[in-house]
Amino acid sequence: MTSIAGYNLNATPCCGELYSSPRYRSMNFMAGEYWTDGYRGGSLMPNGHGLRQCKCGNYYLMNEMHYVSQSEELEAPHTMPVTPEDLPDVIAKARTIDIERAARLTYLQHLNHPYRERYRAHRDAEEAATRAAWEAENPDLRTWWRKLLKVEARPYIRPESSPFTYPPHELNAPQRENLNALLNSKKKFRLDSTTRAELHRQLGQFEQAEKALQDMPTDEKNVTQRLIKRLIKEKVTAPMRYRM
């Protein structure tokens, strides 16, 4: 459960504008869906890598703000997330490497959203067909008496042999440029091994992706790491949805 215990009043690093941010009593990081590019769908916590825009027009990161005070009430506006349309401007005007890194990783997720929509539609249609086939093979044979007694019908169980496919994935020019900039820039963005592996994988650079994962200890409980490792082995470049 995510709950708030008042607010922090903070000043931006650019012009000192005051903004309020929640002071969390507890935080729930669960989401309805997870994606290998780091995006979380239906999450109670925001995506965006802490990137914000100030009223003065400058961009900053939440961890750059200067603490002023605490309050139980909202004393200033909430921080303003950067709109997807502004991300190229943030990248071009970024005053620090950390701001550009946050903007490019957020831009990566934004550019993958159209594929997410195709993926969801494809998977929903395939699962609907799988269920329809199962129901045809397992008709409801309850008598009217058993129905009257509210005896439940046999529950649907997805057959293990059911198909699992996804739509084709191909990078466009902005996606390729952004991925290459994150990996090959002379600025050397700070990226963890899992993120580097995912970026190389989406570019189809499977050897580099595999090497990136070799740079970190294997954690069999890490769902994301295990999935990315499998996708590398299968030479899949598409962003993939999964559940924890």
Side-chain angles (χ1 to χ4, degrees):
M1 177 178 180
T2 297
S3 61
I4 296 172
Y7 300 89
N8 288 331
L9 190 65
N10 301 305
T12 59
C14 43
C15 67
E17 183 70 33
L18 295 178
Y19 288 98
S20 289
S21 59
R23 194 168 70 251
Y24 292 103
R25 181 184 291 111
S26 61
M27 304 172 77
N28 185 340
F29 291 96
M30 295 296 291
E33 57 181 31
Y34 298 83
W35 292 79
T36 51
D37 65 359
Y39 180 76
R40 302 182 307 278
S43 173
L44 295 174
M45 302 301 295
N47 290 278
H49 301 89
L51 187 62
R52 297 292 186 270
Q53 183 173 18
C54 184
K55 287 181 180 177
C56 70
N58 286 306
Y59 305 103
Y60 64 94
L61 297 175
M62 290 287 289
N63 61 14
E64 291 184 301
M65 300 189 83
H66 307 297
Y67 172 78
V68 176
S69 64
Q70 289 185 356
S71 173
E72 297 303 313
E73 304 295 330
L74 193 65
E75 295 186 353
H78 288 292
T79 56
M80 299 187 297
V82 175
T83 64
E85 294 75 20
D86 286 336
L87 287 170
D89 186 58
V90 182
I91 292 168
K93 297 179 180 177
R95 57 182 172 78
T96 70
I97 190 171
D98 287 335
I99 289 177
E100 184 177 348
R101 171 186 173 276
R104 286 194 177 279
L105 288 174
T106 304
Y107 194 41
L108 164 71
Q109 295 175 354
H110 169 66
L111 292 175
N112 281 337
H113 285 341
Y115 180 79
R116 271 183 254 282
E117 292 300 318
R118 297 198 303 275
Y119 181 101
R120 293 185 186 109
H122 181 98
R123 293 294 313 125
D124 288 349
E126 187 167 76
E127 287 302 301
T130 296
R131 180 162 190 148
W134 182 92
E135 290 174 347
E137 294 176 0
N138 299 272
D140 185 358
L141 300 178
R142 291 174 299 165
T143 64
W144 67 270
W145 178 248
R146 291 177 67 81
K147 291 179 182 178
L148 183 65
L149 293 176
K150 297 184 178 179
V151 176
E152 294 186 357
R154 180 181 176 184
Y156 167 71
I157 299 175
R158 185 178 186 274
E160 291 185 5
S161 60
S162 300
F164 183 97
T165 62
Y166 38 86
H169 174 258
E170 187 173 344
L171 294 174
N172 58 35
Q175 287 175 309
R176 190 173 295 280
E177 186 279 329
N178 189 53
L179 288 164
N180 280 314
L182 277 164
L183 287 167
N184 303 322
S185 171
K186 294 179 181 179
K187 298 175 184 178
K188 295 184 179 179
F189 296 106
R190 291 183 298 108
L191 301 169
D192 61 68
S193 297
T194 302
T195 299
R196 283 192 289 110
E198 173 65 6
L199 300 179
H200 280 302
R201 183 185 72 82
Q202 289 194 31
L203 282 166
Q205 299 169 353
F206 300 112
E207 288 185 11
Q208 295 96 315
E210 190 171 16
K211 184 178 184 306
L213 286 182
Q214 290 172 353
D215 292 339
M216 67 184 299
T218 300
D219 181 1
E220 292 302 325
K221 295 182 180 179
N222 190 318
V223 178
T224 309
Q225 185 187 117
R226 284 192 287 114
L227 175 57
I228 291 175
K229 185 176 292 188
R230 178 170 66 80
L231 294 172
I232 292 170
K233 188 172 295 185
E234 295 173 358
K235 292 185 167 34
V236 174
T237 62
M240 198 63 62
R241 182 178 67 179
Y242 62 100
R243 301 188 190 279
M244 290 293 193

mmCIF file of all heavy atoms in Angstrom, residues 195-227:
data_model
loop_
_atom_site.group_PDB
_atom_site.id
_atom_site.type_symbol
_atom_site.label_atom_id
_atom_site.label_comp_id
_atom_site.label_asym_id
_atom_site.label_seq_id
_atom_site.Cartn_x
_atom_site.Cartn_y
_atom_site.Cartn_z
ATOM 1 N N THR A 195 20.390 -2.814 -17.599
ATOM 2 C CA THR A 195 19.945 -1.799 -18.562
ATOM 3 C C THR A 195 20.805 -1.841 -19.819
ATOM 4 O O THR A 195 20.277 -1.788 -20.942
ATOM 5 C CB THR A 195 20.011 -0.394 -17.934
ATOM 6 O OG1 THR A 195 19.148 -0.341 -16.786
ATOM 7 C CG2 THR A 195 19.581 0.668 -18.937
ATOM 8 N N ARG A 196 22.121 -1.949 -19.668
ATOM 9 C CA ARG A 196 22.995 -2.027 -20.831
ATOM 10 C C ARG A 196 22.679 -3.256 -21.674
ATOM 11 O O ARG A 196 22.657 -3.188 -22.912
ATOM 12 C CB ARG A 196 24.469 -2.041 -20.403
ATOM 13 C CG ARG A 196 24.998 -0.681 -19.993
ATOM 14 C CD ARG A 196 26.508 -0.649 -19.842
ATOM 15 N NE ARG A 196 26.953 -1.393 -18.682
ATOM 16 C CZ ARG A 196 27.612 -2.529 -18.708
ATOM 17 N NH1 ARG A 196 27.920 -3.093 -19.868
ATOM 18 N NH2 ARG A 196 27.977 -3.129 -17.602
ATOM 19 N N ALA A 197 22.418 -4.368 -21.014
ATOM 20 C CA ALA A 197 22.073 -5.593 -21.745
ATOM 21 C C ALA A 197 20.789 -5.401 -22.535
ATOM 22 O O ALA A 197 20.687 -5.811 -23.695
ATOM 23 C CB ALA A 197 21.925 -6.758 -20.764
ATOM 24 N N GLU A 198 19.797 -4.745 -21.932
ATOM 25 C CA GLU A 198 18.524 -4.522 -22.610
ATOM 26 C C GLU A 198 18.690 -3.586 -23.809
ATOM 27 O O GLU A 198 18.102 -3.809 -24.876
ATOM 28 C CB GLU A 198 17.502 -3.946 -21.625
ATOM 29 C CG GLU A 198 16.187 -3.518 -22.242
ATOM 30 C CD GLU A 198 15.373 -4.654 -22.840
ATOM 31 O OE1 GLU A 198 15.774 -5.829 -22.682
ATOM 32 O OE2 GLU A 198 14.341 -4.376 -23.486
ATOM 33 N N LEU A 199 19.495 -2.555 -23.668
ATOM 34 C CA LEU A 199 19.716 -1.624 -24.785
ATOM 35 C C LEU A 199 20.405 -2.327 -25.947
ATOM 36 O O LEU A 199 20.002 -2.173 -27.108
ATOM 37 C CB LEU A 199 20.551 -0.433 -24.312
ATOM 38 C CG LEU A 199 19.956 0.424 -23.182
ATOM 39 C CD1 LEU A 199 20.915 1.563 -22.812
ATOM 40 C CD2 LEU A 199 18.601 0.993 -23.562
ATOM 41 N N HIS A 200 21.447 -3.094 -25.649
ATOM 42 C CA HIS A 200 22.131 -3.849 -26.704
ATOM 43 C C HIS A 200 21.175 -4.845 -27.360
ATOM 44 O O HIS A 200 21.183 -5.024 -28.585
ATOM 45 C CB HIS A 200 23.327 -4.603 -26.116
ATOM 46 C CG HIS A 200 24.551 -3.761 -25.918
ATOM 47 N ND1 HIS A 200 25.159 -3.095 -26.955
ATOM 48 C CD2 HIS A 200 25.277 -3.487 -24.796
ATOM 49 C CE1 HIS A 200 26.233 -2.449 -26.493
ATOM 50 N NE2 HIS A 200 26.320 -2.665 -25.198
ATOM 51 N N ARG A 201 20.341 -5.503 -26.549
ATOM 52 C CA ARG A 201 19.402 -6.495 -27.081
ATOM 53 C C ARG A 201 18.434 -5.859 -28.059
ATOM 54 O O ARG A 201 18.176 -6.409 -29.144
ATOM 55 C CB ARG A 201 18.636 -7.158 -25.931
ATOM 56 C CG ARG A 201 17.687 -8.267 -26.375
ATOM 57 C CD ARG A 201 16.879 -8.807 -25.228
ATOM 58 N NE ARG A 201 15.857 -7.869 -24.789
ATOM 59 C CZ ARG A 201 14.669 -7.708 -25.357
ATOM 60 N NH1 ARG A 201 14.358 -8.408 -26.440
ATOM 61 N NH2 ARG A 201 13.791 -6.845 -24.887
ATOM 62 N N GLN A 202 17.862 -4.692 -27.706
ATOM 63 C CA GLN A 202 16.916 -4.034 -28.603
ATOM 64 C C GLN A 202 17.584 -3.601 -29.908
ATOM 65 O O GLN A 202 16.920 -3.490 -30.939
ATOM 66 C CB GLN A 202 16.265 -2.838 -27.906
ATOM 67 C CG GLN A 202 15.283 -3.237 -26.823
ATOM 68 C CD GLN A 202 14.395 -2.094 -26.368
ATOM 69 O OE1 GLN A 202 14.066 -1.188 -27.139
ATOM 70 N NE2 GLN A 202 14.011 -2.117 -25.102
ATOM 71 N N LEU A 203 18.885 -3.366 -29.874
ATOM 72 C CA LEU A 203 19.627 -3.031 -31.091
ATOM 73 C C LEU A 203 20.037 -4.274 -31.877
ATOM 74 O O LEU A 203 20.596 -4.164 -32.968
ATOM 75 C CB LEU A 203 20.884 -2.223 -30.728
ATOM 76 C CG LEU A 203 20.673 -0.746 -30.414
ATOM 77 C CD1 LEU A 203 21.909 -0.154 -29.745
ATOM 78 C CD2 LEU A 203 20.341 0.036 -31.684
ATOM 79 N N GLY A 204 19.761 -5.451 -31.314
ATOM 80 C CA GLY A 204 20.169 -6.681 -31.982
ATOM 81 C C GLY A 204 21.627 -7.012 -31.767
ATOM 82 O O GLY A 204 22.180 -7.883 -32.454
ATOM 83 N N GLN A 205 22.274 -6.376 -30.794
ATOM 84 C CA GLN A 205 23.691 -6.623 -30.490
ATOM 85 C C GLN A 205 23.756 -7.673 -29.371
ATOM 86 O O GLN A 205 24.034 -7.367 -28.208
ATOM 87 C CB GLN A 205 24.360 -5.314 -30.081
ATOM 88 C CG GLN A 205 24.320 -4.257 -31.168
ATOM 89 C CD GLN A 205 24.733 -2.868 -30.687
ATOM 90 O OE1 GLN A 205 24.935 -2.632 -29.490
ATOM 91 N NE2 GLN A 205 24.874 -1.940 -31.616
ATOM 92 N N PHE A 206 23.511 -8.919 -29.732
ATOM 93 C CA PHE A 206 23.312 -9.958 -28.732
ATOM 94 C C PHE A 206 24.594 -10.343 -27.998
ATOM 95 O O PHE A 206 24.554 -10.674 -26.810
ATOM 96 C CB PHE A 206 22.664 -11.181 -29.381
ATOM 97 C CG PHE A 206 21.329 -10.874 -30.003
ATOM 98 C CD1 PHE A 206 21.159 -10.911 -31.387
ATOM 99 C CD2 PHE A 206 20.249 -10.492 -29.218
ATOM 100 C CE1 PHE A 206 19.927 -10.615 -31.961
ATOM 101 C CE2 PHE A 206 19.015 -10.193 -29.788
ATOM 102 C CZ PHE A 206 18.862 -10.248 -31.164
ATOM 103 N N GLU A 207 25.733 -10.307 -28.673
ATOM 104 C CA GLU A 207 26.994 -10.639 -28.003
ATOM 105 C C GLU A 207 27.313 -9.603 -26.929
ATOM 106 O O GLU A 207 27.718 -9.944 -25.813
ATOM 107 C CB GLU A 207 28.133 -10.716 -29.025
ATOM 108 C CG GLU A 207 28.059 -11.933 -29.930
ATOM 109 C CD GLU A 207 29.259 -12.046 -30.839
ATOM 110 O OE1 GLU A 207 30.245 -11.290 -30.619
ATOM 111 O OE2 GLU A 207 29.227 -12.870 -31.763
ATOM 112 N N GLN A 208 27.131 -8.304 -27.271
ATOM 113 C CA GLN A 208 27.380 -7.248 -26.292
ATOM 114 C C GLN A 208 26.383 -7.337 -25.137
ATOM 115 O O GLN A 208 26.729 -7.087 -23.980
ATOM 116 C CB GLN A 208 27.300 -5.878 -26.949
ATOM 117 C CG GLN A 208 28.377 -5.607 -27.988
ATOM 118 C CD GLN A 208 27.905 -5.896 -29.396
ATOM 119 O OE1 GLN A 208 27.270 -6.929 -29.649
ATOM 120 N NE2 GLN A 208 28.218 -4.995 -30.322
ATOM 121 N N ALA A 209 25.138 -7.711 -25.470
ATOM 122 C CA ALA A 209 24.113 -7.841 -24.433
ATOM 123 C C ALA A 209 24.475 -8.953 -23.456
ATOM 124 O O ALA A 209 24.362 -8.791 -22.234
ATOM 125 C CB ALA A 209 22.756 -8.124 -25.077
ATOM 126 N N GLU A 210 24.930 -10.075 -24.002
ATOM 127 C CA GLU A 210 25.311 -11.201 -23.149
ATOM 128 C C GLU A 210 26.503 -10.851 -22.271
ATOM 129 O O GLU A 210 26.549 -11.192 -21.085
ATOM 130 C CB GLU A 210 25.633 -12.420 -24.018
ATOM 131 C CG GLU A 210 25.802 -13.703 -23.235
ATOM 132 C CD GLU A 210 25.909 -14.913 -24.147
ATOM 133 O OE1 GLU A 210 26.159 -14.728 -25.355
ATOM 134 O OE2 GLU A 210 25.734 -16.032 -23.646
ATOM 135 N N LYS A 211 27.453 -10.114 -22.839
ATOM 136 C CA LYS A 211 28.639 -9.717 -22.077
ATOM 137 C C LYS A 211 28.252 -8.771 -20.936
ATOM 138 O O LYS A 211 28.813 -8.845 -19.840
ATOM 139 C CB LYS A 211 29.647 -9.037 -22.994
ATOM 140 C CG LYS A 211 30.958 -8.681 -22.279
ATOM 141 C CD LYS A 211 31.949 -8.058 -23.221
ATOM 142 C CE LYS A 211 33.280 -7.813 -22.515
ATOM 143 N NZ LYS A 211 33.136 -7.020 -21.281
ATOM 144 N N ALA A 212 27.288 -7.882 -21.193
ATOM 145 C CA ALA A 212 26.857 -6.943 -20.152
ATOM 146 C C ALA A 212 26.302 -7.694 -18.948
ATOM 147 O O ALA A 212 26.560 -7.326 -17.798
ATOM 148 C CB ALA A 212 25.810 -5.987 -20.707
ATOM 149 N N LEU A 213 25.548 -8.769 -19.196
ATOM 150 C CA LEU A 213 24.999 -9.542 -18.086
ATOM 151 C C LEU A 213 26.069 -10.350 -17.371
ATOM 152 O O LEU A 213 25.941 -10.647 -16.184
ATOM 153 C CB LEU A 213 23.896 -10.481 -18.585
ATOM 154 C CG LEU A 213 22.558 -9.826 -18.944
ATOM 155 C CD1 LEU A 213 21.550 -10.887 -19.370
ATOM 156 C CD2 LEU A 213 22.004 -9.017 -17.770
ATOM 157 N N GLN A 214 27.139 -10.692 -18.077
ATOM 158 C CA GLN A 214 28.218 -11.438 -17.448
ATOM 159 C C GLN A 214 28.982 -10.584 -16.445
ATOM 160 O O GLN A 214 29.686 -11.102 -15.578
ATOM 161 C CB GLN A 214 29.181 -11.975 -18.507
ATOM 162 C CG GLN A 214 28.590 -13.102 -19.354
ATOM 163 C CD GLN A 214 29.486 -13.490 -20.518
ATOM 164 O OE1 GLN A 214 30.503 -12.835 -20.790
ATOM 165 N NE2 GLN A 214 29.117 -14.564 -21.213
ATOM 166 N N ASP A 215 28.817 -9.253 -16.571
ATOM 167 C CA ASP A 215 29.519 -8.330 -15.673
ATOM 168 C C ASP A 215 28.862 -8.229 -14.302
ATOM 169 O O ASP A 215 29.359 -7.527 -13.424
ATOM 170 C CB ASP A 215 29.587 -6.924 -16.295
ATOM 171 C CG ASP A 215 30.477 -6.886 -17.527
ATOM 172 O OD1 ASP A 215 31.323 -7.797 -17.665
ATOM 173 O OD2 ASP A 215 30.336 -5.959 -18.340
ATOM 174 N N MET A 216 27.713 -8.916 -14.111
ATOM 175 C CA MET A 216 27.033 -8.850 -12.828
ATOM 176 C C MET A 216 26.746 -10.266 -12.327
ATOM 177 O O MET A 216 26.622 -11.195 -13.133
ATOM 178 C CB MET A 216 25.726 -8.049 -12.945
ATOM 179 C CG MET A 216 24.655 -8.698 -13.803
ATOM 180 S SD MET A 216 23.174 -7.661 -13.989
ATOM 181 C CE MET A 216 22.645 -7.524 -12.297
ATOM 182 N N PRO A 217 26.669 -10.448 -11.007
ATOM 183 C CA PRO A 217 26.396 -11.783 -10.463
ATOM 184 C C PRO A 217 25.035 -12.291 -10.929
ATOM 185 O O PRO A 217 24.079 -11.522 -11.041
ATOM 186 C CB PRO A 217 26.404 -11.555 -8.942
ATOM 187 C CG PRO A 217 27.099 -10.252 -8.738
ATOM 188 C CD PRO A 217 26.844 -9.439 -9.963
ATOM 189 N N THR A 218 24.935 -13.575 -11.206
ATOM 190 C CA THR A 218 23.665 -14.168 -11.606
ATOM 191 C C THR A 218 22.747 -14.288 -10.398
ATOM 192 O O THR A 218 23.148 -14.804 -9.353
ATOM 193 C CB THR A 218 23.887 -15.556 -12.228
ATOM 194 O OG1 THR A 218 24.723 -15.420 -13.381
ATOM 195 C CG2 THR A 218 22.559 -16.193 -12.636
ATOM 196 N N ASP A 219 21.541 -13.773 -10.541
ATOM 197 C CA ASP A 219 20.543 -13.843 -9.475
ATOM 198 C C ASP A 219 19.319 -14.567 -10.033
ATOM 199 O O ASP A 219 18.549 -14.001 -10.806
ATOM 200 C CB ASP A 219 20.173 -12.434 -9.001
ATOM 201 C CG ASP A 219 19.153 -12.456 -7.875
ATOM 202 O OD1 ASP A 219 18.752 -13.557 -7.453
ATOM 203 O OD2 ASP A 219 18.759 -11.368 -7.407
ATOM 204 N N GLU A 220 19.157 -15.832 -9.653
ATOM 205 C CA GLU A 220 18.062 -16.642 -10.184
ATOM 206 C C GLU A 220 16.696 -16.109 -9.774
ATOM 207 O O GLU A 220 15.683 -16.435 -10.376
ATOM 208 C CB GLU A 220 18.212 -18.098 -9.738
ATOM 209 C CG GLU A 220 19.416 -18.814 -10.348
ATOM 210 C CD GLU A 220 19.389 -18.813 -11.868
ATOM 211 O OE1 GLU A 220 18.282 -18.899 -12.450
ATOM 212 O OE2 GLU A 220 20.466 -18.712 -12.488
ATOM 213 N N LYS A 221 16.638 -15.284 -8.735
ATOM 214 C CA LYS A 221 15.374 -14.704 -8.295
ATOM 215 C C LYS A 221 15.027 -13.421 -9.043
ATOM 216 O O LYS A 221 13.925 -12.896 -8.902
ATOM 217 C CB LYS A 221 15.429 -14.417 -6.788
ATOM 218 C CG LYS A 221 15.555 -15.674 -5.934
ATOM 219 C CD LYS A 221 15.555 -15.331 -4.454
ATOM 220 C CE LYS A 221 15.670 -16.582 -3.601
ATOM 221 N NZ LYS A 221 15.693 -16.260 -2.146
ATOM 222 N N ASN A 222 15.978 -12.917 -9.834
ATOM 223 C CA ASN A 222 15.764 -11.684 -10.583
ATOM 224 C C ASN A 222 15.007 -12.004 -11.872
ATOM 225 O O ASN A 222 15.586 -12.477 -12.847
ATOM 226 C CB ASN A 222 17.108 -11.014 -10.890
ATOM 227 C CG ASN A 222 16.944 -9.615 -11.462
ATOM 228 O OD1 ASN A 222 16.083 -9.369 -12.315
ATOM 229 N ND2 ASN A 222 17.774 -8.694 -11.016
ATOM 230 N N VAL A 223 13.694 -11.753 -11.862
ATOM 231 C CA VAL A 223 12.842 -12.098 -13.000
ATOM 232 C C VAL A 223 13.278 -11.360 -14.262
ATOM 233 O O VAL A 223 13.351 -11.938 -15.353
ATOM 234 C CB VAL A 223 11.362 -11.789 -12.685
ATOM 235 C CG1 VAL A 223 10.478 -12.110 -13.891
ATOM 236 C CG2 VAL A 223 10.902 -12.570 -11.468
ATOM 237 N N THR A 224 13.571 -10.062 -14.125
ATOM 238 C CA THR A 224 13.957 -9.245 -15.281
ATOM 239 C C THR A 224 15.233 -9.767 -15.911
ATOM 240 O O THR A 224 15.318 -9.944 -17.135
ATOM 241 C CB THR A 224 14.155 -7.783 -14.859
ATOM 242 O OG1 THR A 224 13.018 -7.335 -14.136
ATOM 243 C CG2 THR A 224 14.375 -6.894 -16.076
ATOM 244 N N GLN A 225 16.224 -10.028 -15.088
ATOM 245 C CA GLN A 225 17.512 -10.528 -15.592
ATOM 246 C C GLN A 225 17.344 -11.868 -16.300
ATOM 247 O O GLN A 225 17.904 -12.084 -17.383
ATOM 248 C CB GLN A 225 18.496 -10.664 -14.422
ATOM 249 C CG GLN A 225 19.900 -11.056 -14.852
ATOM 250 C CD GLN A 225 20.784 -11.335 -13.658
ATOM 251 O OE1 GLN A 225 21.262 -12.449 -13.472
ATOM 252 N NE2 GLN A 225 21.002 -10.324 -12.826
ATOM 253 N N ARG A 226 16.557 -12.764 -15.714
ATOM 254 C CA ARG A 226 16.363 -14.088 -16.331
ATOM 255 C C ARG A 226 15.646 -13.986 -17.671
ATOM 256 O O ARG A 226 15.988 -14.679 -18.635
ATOM 257 C CB ARG A 226 15.591 -14.992 -15.375
ATOM 258 C CG ARG A 226 16.421 -15.534 -14.233
ATOM 259 C CD ARG A 226 15.722 -16.656 -13.474
ATOM 260 N NE ARG A 226 14.627 -16.155 -12.652
ATOM 261 C CZ ARG A 226 13.360 -16.435 -12.852
ATOM 262 N NH1 ARG A 226 13.000 -17.214 -13.866
ATOM 263 N NH2 ARG A 226 12.423 -15.959 -12.050
ATOM 264 N N LEU A 227 14.645 -13.087 -17.744
ATOM 265 C CA LEU A 227 13.915 -12.930 -19.002
ATOM 266 C C LEU A 227 14.803 -12.343 -20.085
ATOM 267 O O LEU A 227 14.826 -12.833 -21.227
ATOM 268 C CB LEU A 227 12.695 -12.032 -18.790
ATOM 269 C CG LEU A 227 11.894 -11.668 -20.050
ATOM 270 C CD1 LEU A 227 11.419 -12.920 -20.782
ATOM 271 C CD2 LEU A 227 10.727 -10.756 -19.712
#
